[in-house]
């Protein structure tokens, strides 16, 4: 299959990237992050989670963040909603898209949302109905689609099964998530080859964490399967609270550099994203995990130094 002409990058840094930070990140920083990302051209920014603050304290200010952002027409602001209580919060906060999140692994489902896969689907049913009734987009995210921190291998049919259940709930988009970044291009190919038989490939996305350094290779393997939606986190922020040792999502800057090199349009300005990566890494006191981001910042600094020395 030939490579797509354009892809959609869903920026998940404000949610997936920050949810695991131990120190509370001020709502003002989260708001500035979301606004700078939408200004850089992202058409979809995953901005917050309406989950139990006992489970994920970092997302407790979801309503404040959603109330503070400057909405750009055409930008989809997504939030996570594990149940109807979360949905009500999302609706009040005027989210454009709600995300139900399950897993292809029973063990991870229990640790992450405290119920079995079957129970989670039953819990998502009223959320899905409410999303449709209120005209909101519905996305389904499937964790551990390429491997699980608790049970290890996750058979491909288990992923297909959850995709089918999410399709029946009416999901507009479904994310195939490599929560702990263990997947390789071979498994990525096997999973997408199977799930595209039961759900339209143009509505499937790849959500890759980069723990084992395979994320860009997995994105390339997904492109070859005709996948056109990818999730990424600016500066590679993140890690999963229920997957010890897992690193953040693939860095957005790295994905943009790859897409630019392949001549695939994203509609996003890489230079602006490099600045945003620097801003958020400095704001939370973490090293910038984007290799492209660090390289481009170093190149800029070197150019500024030589300009300054020429002027001196
Ligand atoms: C699903 C539950 C709520 C079940 O948690 P539970 O304890 O089984 O639920 P509960 O209904 O018994 O509620 C317990 C308490 O939470 C409250 N509560 C209940 N729901 C909400 C809500 N929506 N918003 C605010 N509060 C809520 C509820 O009111 C109650 O409060 P209390 O009476 O004790 O004071 C919990 O397990 C939870 O919130 N889990 C969230 C886990 C999470 O956010 N994980 C990270 C996101 S998933 C992810 O990162 C993976 C992804 C998407 O990126 C893809 C990938 O890479 O794999």
């Amino acid at each position: 299959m030939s490579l797509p002409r354009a892809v959609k990058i869903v920026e998940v840094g404000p949610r997936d990237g920050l949810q695991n930070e131990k120190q509370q990140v001020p709502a003002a920083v989260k708001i500035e992050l979301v606004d700078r990302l939408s200004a850089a051209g992202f058409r979809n920014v995953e901005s917050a989670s309406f989950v139990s603050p006992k489970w994920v304290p970092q997302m407790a200010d979801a309503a404040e963040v959603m109330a503070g952002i400057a909405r750009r027409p055409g930008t989809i602001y997504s939030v996570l909603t594990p149940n109807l209580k979360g949905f009500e919060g999302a609706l009040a906060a005027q989210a454009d898209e709600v995300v139900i999140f399950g897993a292809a692994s029973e063990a991870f489902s229990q640790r992450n949302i405290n119920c079995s896969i079957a129970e989670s689907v039953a819990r998502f049913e009223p959320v899905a109905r409410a999303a449709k009734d209120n005209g909101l987009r519905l996305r389904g995210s499937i964790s551990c689609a390429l491997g699980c921190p608790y049970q290890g291998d996750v058979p491909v049919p288990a992923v297909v099964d959850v995709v089918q259940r999410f399709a029946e709930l009416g999901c507009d988009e479904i994310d195939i998530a490599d929560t702990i970044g263990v997947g390789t291009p071979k498994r990525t190919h096997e999973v997408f080859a199977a799930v595209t038989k039961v759900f339209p490939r143009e509505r499937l996305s790849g959500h890759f964490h980069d723990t084992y350094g395979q994320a860009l290779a997995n994105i390339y393997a997904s492109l070859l399967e005709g996948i056109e939606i990818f999730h990424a986190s600016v500066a590679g922020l993140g890690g999963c609270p229920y997957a010890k040792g897992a690193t953040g999502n693939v860095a957005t800057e790295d994905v943009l550099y790859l897409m630019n090199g392949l001549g695939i349009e994203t509609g996003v300005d890489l230079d602006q994203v490099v600045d945003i990566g620097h801003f958020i890494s400095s704001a939370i006191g973490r090293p910038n995990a984007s290799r492209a981001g660090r390289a481009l910042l170093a190149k800029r600094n070197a150019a500024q130094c030589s300009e300054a020395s020429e002027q001196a």
Side-chain angles (χ1 to χ4, degrees):
M1 191 172 291
S2 57
L3 296 177
R5 198 184 51 77
V7 294
K8 177 171 90 169
I9 309 288
V10 179
E11 170 59 50
V12 298
R15 196 283 303 173
D16 206 351
L18 294 182
Q19 70 180 7
N20 205 30
E21 282 301 312
K22 294 282 169 287
Q23 279 184 17
Q24 190 61 34
V25 178
V29 171
K30 295 174 180 169
I31 291 165
E32 181 171 351
L33 177 62
V34 173
D35 286 348
R36 288 177 71 154
L37 289 164
S38 62
F42 291 97
R43 284 179 286 146
N44 194 329
V45 182
E46 197 172 270
S47 308
S49 281
F50 285 87
V51 297
S52 166
K54 287 182 190 146
W55 285 67
V56 184
Q58 186 62 250
M59 292 287 115
D61 57 4
E64 188 183 349
V65 172
M66 292 298 285
I69 58 177
R71 315 248 171 169
R72 282 195 171 241
T75 303
I76 295 168
Y77 297 92
S78 318
V79 299
L80 265 58
T81 53
N83 52 20
L84 263 184
K85 182 166 181 154
F87 178 81
E88 281 155 17
L91 189 64
Q94 297 182 307
D96 303 295
E97 179 178 73
V98 293
V99 184
I100 51 176
F101 51 103
S105 137
E106 283 293 351
F108 190 83
S109 182
Q110 289 290 354
R111 303 278 180 116
N112 193 36
I113 50 176
N114 205 21
C115 62
S116 69
I117 296 172
E119 285 165 343
S120 74
V121 174
R123 199 186 273 173
F124 296 146
E125 262 169 29
V127 178
R129 217 172 313 118
K132 297 288 158 189
D133 289 349
N134 287 280
L136 268 62
R137 279 175 56 89
L138 176 69
R139 173 147 64 81
S141 186
I142 303 177
S143 289
C144 299
L146 303 183
C148 171
Y150 310 111
Q151 76 175 48
D153 186 54
V154 175
V156 175
V159 185
V160 174
D161 181 54
V162 183
V163 169
Q164 280 174 317
R165 293 186 200 209
F166 275 11
E168 283 160 16
L169 291 178
C171 284
D172 297 298
E173 231 167 87
I174 296 180
D175 313 329
I176 300 300
D178 185 10
T179 312
I180 51 168
V182 287
T184 59
K186 182 171 181 288
R187 181 46 75 94
T188 302
H189 154 74
E190 288 164 356
V191 169
F192 275 120
V195 297
T196 49
K197 291 197 174 82
V198 299
F199 195 76
R201 74 180 69 236
E202 62 277 11
R203 295 199 276 128
L204 284 163
S205 74
H207 175 114
F208 297 106
H209 287 253
D210 206 18
T211 316
Y212 288 82
Q214 302 295 298
L216 285 182
N218 291 339
I219 288 176
Y220 193 76
S222 312
L223 286 169
L224 295 175
E225 292 299 320
I227 302 306
E228 298 172 2
I229 309 171
F230 295 100
H231 294 192
S233 177
V234 64
L237 294 173
C240 178
Y242 301 104
K244 292 266 172 293
T247 67
N249 293 88
V250 63
T252 312
E253 298 90 317
D254 299 2
V255 177
L256 292 173
Y257 187 84
L258 172 72
M259 296 301 168
N260 289 352
L262 291 169
I264 296 175
E265 283 172 32
T266 62
V268 179
D269 185 304
L270 173 57
D271 278 331
Q272 278 190 60
V273 180
V274 169
D275 287 335
I276 301 168
H278 182 61
F279 152 71
I280 190 64
S281 305
S282 312
I284 64 173
R286 274 192 175 270
N288 187 332
S290 167
R291 298 179 74 155
R294 288 200 308 266
L296 289 167
L297 281 167
K299 194 171 159 186
R300 256 193 228 166
N301 288 343
Q304 278 164 3
C305 284
S306 75
E307 209 174 285
S309 65
E310 272 168 31
Q311 280 168 2

